[in-house]
Amino acid sequence: MIRIAVIGQSGSIPEEVERMAEEAGAEVARRGAVLLTGGGSGVMEHASKGAKEAGGLVIGILAGDRTDVANDYLDVPITTGLGFDFRSLILVHSCDALIMIRGGNGTLGELSAAYMNCKPTVAIETSGGWAEKVKQTAFEGCYLDERRTVEIHYAHSGKLAVDRAFELLASKWNEERNTGVTGD
Amino acid sequence: MIRIAVIGQSGSIPEEVERMAEEAGAEVARRGAVLLTGGGSGVMEHASKGAKEAGGLVIGILAGDRTDVANDYLDVPITTGLGFDFRSLILVHSCDALIMIRGGNGTLGELSAAYMNCKPTVAIETSGGWAEKVKQTAFEGCYLDERRTVEIHYAHSGKLAVDRAFELLASKWNEERNTGVTGD
Amino acid sequence: MIRIAVIGQSGSIPEEVERMAEEAGAEVARRGAVLLTGGGSGVMEHASKGAKEAGGLVIGILAGDRTDVANDYLDVPITTGLGFDFRSLILVHSCDALIMIRGGNGTLGELSAAYMNCKPTVAIETSGGWAEKVKQTAFEGCYLDERRTVEIHYAHSGKLAVDRAFELLASKWNEERNTGVTGD
Amino acid sequence: MIRIAVIGQSGSIPEEVERMAEEAGAEVARRGAVLLTGGGSGVMEHASKGAKEAGGLVIGILAGDRTDVANDYLDVPITTGLGFDFRSLILVHSCDALIMIRGGNGTLGELSAAYMNCKPTVAIETSGGWAEKVKQTAFEGCYLDERRTVEIHYAHSGKLAVDRAFELLASKWNEERNTGVTGD
C-alpha cells in the first residue's frame, strides 16, 4: 500500500488552505493510498478529514503518548512518546512521498528530513508559509543544498500535488526496477 | 480504535505457537481492534495472518526503512529507520495493551518497556520462551521489580489472552474515568 | 558546564571557513565550555580541532554505532545508532546554545530543531551556505515562522559568534531566575 | 577513549551497593576510561561519585531536557529529551562495555538492549536485584535467549567487574583485529 504524508501548518489556517488540504487527503484516499500525518490540527486535520470522507485510511504519528490531542479523523494513532521533532522524523521515514501545504518551522524541519531521506516531495506553492517561501530560497528553486539530492516539486492544488507525487513515485520505482537498485 | 500489540519470537516457531499467534490476531480483529506488531516473522507473522483472515487491520512497526523485509499481512508498514531496539519502544508506546507469545531477548526488552510504560500485558505462559520464563522469575510471579508498577497477567490460549487484555483495558479506563486521571 | 554545539557543513569547506570553525571551537574551550558537534568532517572537524588545541573537551554525537568514522579530535563519541537525522536532534537537545557555520540541508534541519526547542543560535553569516541564506529568507531576517519563538542571531567571526552565544545564555538565565521559570 | 557504562538501581540503595558502585566508577577512572551512566540517583550517582573522586570524566545520558534532575557528579549531561526508555538505548549504544549493579526493571531493559547490541556486560551478582536474578534465570546462567549472542559475565566487586570488562574488551578487539571484522 502506498503511503502519502501530508505535512503543513498546524493551528488556524485560511479557508482556502483548508480546502487544499481536504482535496489532497481525498485524492490520496481515492487512489487507494494510506494518508499519514502528524495527527494534529490545521493542515493535518483537514487532510485527514478529506481522506476519511473519501473512504480512506488515516494514520497519525503523534508526538506524545496521549490520543486525546489527536484530531477526529484518525483510524490509528501511533503514539510515539518522542516529542514533536522526533516524531516528525518517524513520519518522514514512514511515507513514500510527501505533500507540503503552507507550514511554519515544524514543516520546514520535515521538508529538510524528507530531502535528507530522498523522499519525493510536492509543495503547494500557493498555500503560503514555507511551501511558498522554499521556492524563492532553494538552490535553483528546488534543492536544499548543492548536493541536489532530490528535487522539490511544486503544484497549485491538492489534487495536482497528489497526481504529481504519484508520477514521481512511478518513475522512481521504474528506475529502481531497471537498475536493480532499491531503497525500498 | 483499540490498539493491541502482539509481541513474541521471530523466526521459526513450533506449530502450536503459530496457532496461538493466529488465534490471538484473529480475536483482536473480531473485536474490531487494530493489531500492531513488529512486522517481522514468527509470532508477528502468524498474528498478522490471523488478523487479516478475520478481516482486521494490521500495522507493522519496522526497524528499518525497507518494506520488503516485512511479512505479507501488513496493511501499513511504519518504517521507523531506527533499528530493532528503538522501534520496539515505538511499538510499546503505540499500543493500549500487549499479548506476549514465547519470545527471546527482543521480546524480553519489549516486556520490560511495556512494564515501564504501565501497559497491560498478557503472556501466554504455555508458549515457551520468556512468556513462560518470566512467571518463574518475576517478583510474586507478576512484577518486574519491587515497585510493582503494573501486573503481568497470564493466559493459556490466544483467545483467552485477548479476552483478558480487553478486561484489563476496560477496568483501567473505568478507573481513570472515576478518578478523573487519565494517561490516555 | 555550559555546552555549546557547533553545527555546519560537512565534507570539504573553504579555508576561511575552516578558520572560522577553529576559532569558534577555540573560544568555546577558552571559556571553559564543552564543545558538542556531530563528530564528522568539515565544520565539525575544524571546530573540534580548535577546541582540542585550546585544551577543551569535545563530544561528538554520531549517527551510527562505529567510532572510526569520527574525526580525530573527539574526547568522547556518543554513538547513538540512530542515523543522521535523529542524532541531529540529540545534538540540539543536548546543547545550551548553537553556533552555525555555512551548512547544507543537514544544518538547516538542525537550525529548525534548535528553533523548535528555543535554543539560542548564532549564525556566522559570512560563512556561506544556510548560515548566510537564512538571513535573506527568515521572517524579519531572524525568525523561522510567524510564531517568532526565538530569534536567530548573526555574527561575523567564530570568536564573535561564541561571545554572542554566551551573552544570549546569560540574559536567558537571568530572565529565568527573575521569573522563576526555568527550562533547564 | 574507552567508554564504560554503569547501569543499575536508581533511588535508595543499600550502603554496600553504594560502595560497589563507587568502586566500579573509581576503577573506570583509574584506567583512564570515561564513565557513562543515566545521570540519575542510586547506582548511577555513586558510580559517578567514585569516578569523579578518582579524577575521571563522567557523562550522563539523561531522559529529559533538564539538567537539574541530574546527580552532582556529571561533567557533561547529554539531555536527550527522549524519555527514560529511549535514553537507555542511547546509553547502551554509546558504551563499549557495561557493569550492572543491582537494578529493577529499567536496568533489565538496559541489559536486554546490551545483549541485543552484543555489548560485553558484567553483572555484580552479589548486589541483588536483576544483577543477581538474571543468573538464576538466564539460559545456562549467561544467555538471554537460545541464540546465545553474547555471554553475560559475573563478578563479586566493583573493581573485579571493571577488570573483567577490560579483559572482555581486549579479547573482543583482538579477535576483531585477527578476523578483520570490526563492529567498532
Side-chain angles (χ1 to χ4, degrees), chain B residues 15-137:
Chain B
E15 224 181 283
E16 73 266 24
V17 178
E18 292 182 0
R19 290 300 86 73
M20 285 174 186
E22 287 172 24
E23 196 185 286
E27 185 60 22
V28 169
R30 253 180 254 122
R31 283 169 172 273
V34 58
L35 176 69
L36 271 70
T37 79
S41 61
V43 163
M44 297 175 269
E45 181 167 7
H46 285 277
S48 301
K49 183 169 184 278
K52 280 319 296 171
E53 287 174 359
L57 181 66
V58 180
I59 294 184
I61 311 287
L62 301 178
D65 280 304
R66 303 172 59 107
T67 56
D68 58 5
V69 296
N71 67 54
D72 293 337
Y73 306 99
L74 301 187
D75 290 295
V76 187
I78 300 295
T79 43
T80 64
L82 287 172
F84 284 97
D85 42 11
F86 288 98
R87 76 83 190 265
S88 283
L89 298 186
I90 304 280
L91 174 62
V92 167
H93 278 270
S94 293
C95 70
D96 296 303
L98 300 94
I99 310 298
M100 179 185 183
I101 304 177
R102 207 171 168 94
N105 174 60
T107 307
L108 174 64
E110 289 165 339
L111 175 68
S112 169
Y115 185 84
M116 183 181 278
N117 288 283
C118 298
K119 301 277 180 167
T121 304
V122 184
I124 304 187
E125 57 178 308
T126 47
S127 61
W130 277 102
E132 183 182 337
K133 217 180 232 307
V134 72
K135 198 176 187 176
Q136 304 152 11
T137 314

Side-chain angles (χ1 to χ4, degrees), chain D residues 20-95:
Chain D
M20 285 174 186
E22 286 171 26
E23 195 185 286
E27 184 61 22
V28 168
R30 254 181 253 123
R31 284 169 172 274
V34 58
L35 176 69
L36 271 70
T37 78
S41 60
V43 163
M44 297 175 270
E45 182 167 7
H46 285 277
S48 302
K49 184 169 183 279
K52 279 318 297 169
E53 289 174 357
L57 180 66
V58 180
I59 294 185
I61 311 287
L62 301 178
D65 281 303
R66 303 171 60 106
T67 56
D68 58 3
V69 296
N71 66 55
D72 293 337
Y73 306 98
L74 300 188
D75 290 293
V76 188
I78 300 295
T79 43
T80 64
L82 287 171
F84 284 97
D85 42 10
F86 288 99
R87 78 84 191 265
S88 284
L89 298 187
I90 305 279
L91 174 62
V92 168
H93 278 269
S94 294
C95 69

